[in-house]
Amino acid sequence: GAGVSQSPRYKVAKRGQDVALRCDPISGHVSLFWYQQALGQGPEFLTYFQNEAQLDKSGLPSDRFFAERPEGSVSTLKIQRTQQEDSAVYLCASRKRGTNEKLFFGSGTQLSVL
Amino acid sequence: DAKTTQPTSMDCAEGRAANLPCNHSTISGNEYVYWYRQIHSQGPQYIIHGLKNNETNEMASLIITEDRKSSTLILPHATLRDTAVYYCIVRGVLTGGGNKLTFGTGTQLKVEL
């Protein structure tokens, strides 16, 4: 498909487990963003990549959160030792090149930590 | 980025125009107004953006007041599929972080028969 693809769609983890969430951006898109969306809230910025470089990680809530995009395309968001407060929808978005270009979002991964 | 204020919720009859207001009284001269919407269980979707002139595309129209302190998103003929949360976002040209978007809580628009 031509859109941003995220997997898995749903993830249930026991507290303390590590999880990895995958994002396949639109082919050729230079910029990639991760957002976290708690129930009833708007999406909150986590981190930003331009190609393989992580240029902003100011939104990552703790050092348990780690993101990478080693070849400048697919990205993985990893959460170590998950906690209940990590339960949320994790959204990935990509953008072509220009900073005024629109963002294309995936449908997200809904993470539930029990 | 300037803060925005939107009503929590609005209702609209199908086939009528939906007018969604947004206040951004602290907007500065180089900041754009963006609108995204989020249908249940989907990611946000871009609708439209503008700087100071009114804009129109196939989805909606954006009316920005002359002083730029507020704007209105207009869906000319709302349908049931337009039921969603609508986010008004103000963003500068060079705000760092890849010009990330800062979402608020938006307006829940419910289109009814």
Side-chain angles (χ1 to χ4, degrees):
Chain A
V4 176
S5 178
Q6 292 188 246
S7 60
R9 185 75 177 89
Y10 302 94
K11 177 69 179 176
V12 178
K14 291 183 180 178
R15 192 173 57 176
Q17 276 186 331
D18 297 349
V19 298
L21 313 180
R22 178 187 168 105
C23 173
D24 280 89
I26 294 173
S27 178
H29 279 199
V30 168
S31 300
L32 185 145
F33 298 79
W34 283 99
Y35 281 81
Q36 179 190 58
Q37 186 170 24
L39 191 63
Q41 303 297 313
E44 299 221 351
F45 170 80
L46 292 177
T47 188
Y48 158 66
F49 290 85
Q50 183 170 299
N51 296 306
E52 69 279 1
Q54 187 175 20
L55 299 185
D56 187 342
K57 51 183 180 179
S58 62
L60 295 177
S62 77
D63 58 8
R64 296 186 296 104
F65 287 71
F66 171 76
E68 60 183 5
R69 194 186 184 200
E71 297 177 1
S73 56
V74 172
S75 177
T76 304
L77 176 67
K78 297 179 179 177
I79 309 173
Q80 296 177 322
R81 304 181 303 281
T82 53
Q83 304 294 316
Q84 283 189 319
E85 62 262 28
D86 300 334
S87 295
V89 175
Y90 291 86
L91 294 161
C92 175
S94 70
R95 186 180 69 200
K96 253 194 296 192
R97 179 173 295 274
T99 53
N100 279 334
E101 293 282 340
K102 55 189 176 184
L103 288 187
F104 292 84
F105 282 82
S107 294
T109 294
Q110 184 170 327
L111 173 65
S112 299
V113 181
L114 306 178
Chain B
D1 292 336
K3 182 182 169 65
T4 62
T5 304
Q6 300 178 251
T8 303
S9 64
M10 293 182 65
D11 294 333
C12 179
E14 191 178 34
R16 305 297 293 268
N19 298 284
L20 291 93
C22 180
N23 285 321
H24 30 79
S25 58
T26 59
I27 193 170
S28 59
N30 65 351
E31 290 182 314
Y32 286 76
V33 180
Y34 281 77
W35 284 83
Y36 278 73
R37 74 179 183 183
Q38 188 172 23
I39 294 169
H40 184 62
S41 296
Q42 297 182 22
Q45 175 193 24
Y46 167 85
I47 302 173
I48 199 167
H49 76 282
L51 183 62
K52 53 184 177 180
N53 297 321
N54 298 338
E55 302 287 344
T56 296
N57 63 20
E58 65 279 3
M59 289 183 71
S61 294
L62 174 60
I63 308 299
I64 303 174
T65 58
E66 194 169 338
D67 64 7
R68 301 186 69 240
K69 293 183 185 299
S70 65
S71 60
T72 302
L73 179 74
I74 300 172
L75 308 179
H77 304 288
T79 71
L80 297 178
R81 288 177 294 180
D82 292 321
T83 293
V85 177
Y86 287 76
Y87 297 99
C88 169
I89 301 162
V90 171
R91 197 201 75 188
V93 175
L94 293 171
T95 56
N99 278 18
K100 59 182 178 281
L101 298 175
T102 301
F103 291 81
T105 51
T107 295
Q108 171 67 63
L109 175 68
K110 185 176 179 184
V111 181
E112 300 170 308
L113 292 171

